[in-house]
């Protein structure tokens, strides 16, 4: 099978999974993790530990223009991420908690694990092509090849072996997609607003190549003041 065909088939599975989450189909039979809705996102003492890729300035500007500004015009009373908070999540390690449910030793272990894994993985290209109004947030979805699955699988195995198994519950343990949270709700979203969000077009799609992974600590909205980057590691060329 050609690599192009494999990519198309994997993206088809990614799209089907996103649709199942947005429609609520998966929520009725699973207990996947989600950050609860809050009326005020500016004060948060919770922290998580994650493997992410922060969005380059040019891509952040495109997201601001094509995604966040139209969303803000549509429903301005929610929390919208500033450019410096935008990131694509590769893998959670420890979910939000106050006090944090990880320590300096866990952070050091996570850094060592990522350094040991990324050398065998090349950069991953994402097509940021769709907005998904999830239960408590809006995400910009990135579709890609199965390279993401391979990277997440290897990170997961290595973290487990190191005694730092991911504590998040997922919609699928075999299909992964790129996820950039751009908005968190201050109140539940109406059906009409959710439909309007889904109808927003990103044309042409925004291209993002993930070349660098950060082991990062931050709050529920990755606010600039909460961010601490423990390590930044390049994927193999």
């Amino acid at each position: 099978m050609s690599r192009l065909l494999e990519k198309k088939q994997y993206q088809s599975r990614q799209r089907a999974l996103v649709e199942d989450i947005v429609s609520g189909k998966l929520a009725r039979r699973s207990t996947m993790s989600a950050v609860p809705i809050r009326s005020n996102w500016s004060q948060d003492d919770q922290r998580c530990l994650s493997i992410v890729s922060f969005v380059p300035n040019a891509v952040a500007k495109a997201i601001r223009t094509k995604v966040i500004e139209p969303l803000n015009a549509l429903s301005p009373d929610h929390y919208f991420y500033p450019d410096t908070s935008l990131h694509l999540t590769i893998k959670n390690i420890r979910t939000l908690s106050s006090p944090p449910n990880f320590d300096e030793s866990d952070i050091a272990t996570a850094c060592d694990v990522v350094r040991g894994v990324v050398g065998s993985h090349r950069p991953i290209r994402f097509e940021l092509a769709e907005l998904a109004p999830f239960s408590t947030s809006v995400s910009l979805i990135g579709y890609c090849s199965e390279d993401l699955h391979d990277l997440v699988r290897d990170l997961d195995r290595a973290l487990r072996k190191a005694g730092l198994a991911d504590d998040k519950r997922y919609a699928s343990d075999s299909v992964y997609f790129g996820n950039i949270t751009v908005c968190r709700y201050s109140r539940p979203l109406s059906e009409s607003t959710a439909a309007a969000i889904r109808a927003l077009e990103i044309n042409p799609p925004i291209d993002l190549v993930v070349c660098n992974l950060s082991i990062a600590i931050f709050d529920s909205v990755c606010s600039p003041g909460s961010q601490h980057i423990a390590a930044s590691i390049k994927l193999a060329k």
Side-chain angles (χ1 to χ4, degrees), residues 70-71 74-75 131 133 189-201:
L71 282 176
L74 186 65
S75 189
L131 284 172
L189 211 61
S190 68
E191 290 187 9
S192 60
T193 301
I197 289 172
R198 294 224 73 185
L200 288 174
E201 292 187 356

Side-chain angles (χ1 to χ4, degrees), residues 5-229:
L5 181 57
E6 287 178 347
K7 179 179 179 180
K8 288 182 177 180
Q9 289 182 345
Y10 191 67
Q11 288 187 354
S12 178
R13 295 170 66 195
Q14 289 174 322
R15 292 178 189 277
L17 177 60
V18 170
E19 182 58 37
D20 282 350
I21 298 172
V22 172
S23 69
K25 180 179 179 181
L26 284 178
R28 291 190 287 270
R29 66 171 191 259
S30 72
T31 56
M32 59 186 179
S33 301
V35 178
I37 292 174
R38 298 175 57 170
S39 59
N40 182 3
W41 293 97
S42 63
Q43 299 293 328
D44 183 12
D45 60 359
Q46 299 181 100
R47 294 293 183 270
C48 66
L49 176 63
S50 293
I51 304 168
V52 304
S53 181
F54 283 93
V55 171
N57 290 338
V59 175
K61 183 178 179 180
I63 293 173
R64 172 72 44 196
T65 301
K66 292 186 175 184
V67 175
I68 293 179
E69 289 177 358
L71 282 176
N72 196 10
L74 186 65
S75 189
D77 52 342
H78 298 292
Y79 180 89
F80 296 93
Y81 279 50
D83 292 4
T84 52
S85 295
L86 294 171
H87 62 278
L88 187 144
T89 301
I90 299 295
K91 183 160 188 61
N92 173 78
I93 301 174
R94 289 289 179 266
T95 53
L96 286 162
S97 179
S98 177
N101 56 0
F102 55 90
D103 56 24
E104 291 298 328
S105 176
D106 294 327
I107 297 170
T109 297
C111 293
D112 289 342
V113 166
V114 175
R115 289 189 184 98
V117 168
V118 298
S120 60
H121 291 272
R122 59 189 170 190
I124 302 173
R125 183 177 298 275
F126 291 86
E127 182 182 86
L128 307 177
E130 180 181 349
L131 284 172
F134 292 140
S135 60
T136 65
S137 63
V138 179
S139 284
L140 176 57
I141 304 300
Y143 295 109
C144 61
S145 70
E146 210 161 355
D147 288 347
L148 177 62
H149 169 272
D150 295 342
L151 174 60
V152 172
R153 176 201 59 198
D154 289 353
L155 287 168
D156 190 57
R157 288 175 178 172
L159 286 166
R160 286 180 180 275
K161 187 176 180 180
L164 202 59
D166 185 351
D167 65 353
K168 189 173 183 178
R169 301 184 302 273
Y170 292 92
S172 172
D173 59 3
S174 61
V175 178
Y176 308 102
F177 53 83
N179 177 7
I180 300 176
T181 302
V182 295
C183 169
R184 290 205 182 274
Y185 307 153
S186 58
R187 55 176 173 75
L189 211 61
S190 68
E191 290 187 9
S192 60
T193 301
I197 289 172
R198 294 224 73 185
L200 288 174
E201 292 187 356
I202 305 170
N203 188 24
I206 301 168
D207 191 48
L208 170 66
V209 180
V210 167
C211 302
N212 198 73
L213 303 185
S214 295
I215 298 88
I217 299 97
F218 47 81
D219 64 12
S220 55
V221 290
C222 195
S223 61
S226 75
Q227 295 172 18
H228 170 67
I229 311 302

